[in-house]
Amino acid sequence: MNPEKIICPCKKVSKGDILKAMAKGAKRYKDVRAATGAGSKCGKCEKEIRQFIKKHRDD
Ligand code: FES
C-alpha cells in the first residue's frame, strides 16, 4: 500500500492520513471524517474509506 495515495480527492486526504487518524483513536467512518475531512464534500469516497477502515482496524 502506498500511504501517499489520495483516497479522498476533494479533501486531499491520503491513506496515510486515514491511518494516522485511526492511530489517534478514530474507529468508524464518521470519526475518520471528523478527524480528516475525508468524505465531507461529495461523498463519493465514502465506500472506499469504509472498506479501508474495515481492513485496517485491529479490533
Ligand atoms: S472524494 Fe471524498 S468527499 Fe469527494
Side-chain angles (χ1 to χ4, degrees), residues 3 6-8 15-17 36 38 40 45 47 58-59:
I6 297 294
I7 194 162
C8 174
K15 292 186 170 178
D17 294 329
T36 65
S40 64
C45 56
K47 199 171 160 211
D58 50 19
D59 58 15

Side-chain angles (χ1 to χ4, degrees), residues 7-11 29 37-46 49:
I7 194 162
C8 174
C10 288
K11 294 291 184 174
Y29 171 71
S40 64
K41 205 170 170 199
C42 76
K44 275 191 200 139
C45 56
E46 177 172 340
I49 293 171

Side-chain angles (χ1 to χ4, degrees), residues 13-44:
V13 178
S14 68
K15 292 186 170 178
D17 294 329
I18 306 276
L19 291 177
K20 265 183 235 155
M22 290 176 75
K24 285 188 191 149
K27 294 213 181 295
R28 299 163 152 268
Y29 171 71
K30 70 170 171 51
D31 305 326
V32 167
R33 188 180 58 194
T36 65
S40 64
K41 205 170 170 199
C42 76
K44 275 191 200 139

